[in-house]
Amino acid sequence: MSPTSEIKIKNIDHLGIVAGLIDEIGIVEIIGSPELMVIILSNERSKLTRDFSSY
């Protein structure tokens, strides 16, 4: 057996690095928090109100 036949290479590219950092920092929990969802929804609702008020 040649020495190179035992080498296993795994390429995680940048997505694996980004996913690891996101997991370590805890961004998913922050984005999915109920408090943030309320802020996002209220901002979207106010945008819709402003957009339709011109008609």
Side-chain angles (χ1 to χ4, degrees):
M1 219 182 271
S2 69
T4 57
S5 65
E6 295 179 26
I7 296 174
K8 293 182 180 180
I9 298 173
K10 293 184 179 182
N11 187 359
I12 60 171
D13 287 331
H14 68 284
L15 295 178
I17 296 169
V18 171
L21 288 172
I22 286 172
D23 187 42
E24 189 172 322
I25 295 171
I27 292 177
V28 173
E29 289 80 12
I30 294 168
I31 292 173
S33 70
E35 295 85 7
L36 184 60
M37 295 307 294
V38 167
I39 292 169
I40 291 170
L41 290 174
S42 64
N43 284 341
E44 289 301 314
R45 187 174 296 132
S46 67
K47 285 181 194 175
L48 285 173
T49 304
R50 284 194 307 262
D51 290 345
F52 286 111
S53 64
S54 62
Y55 290 107

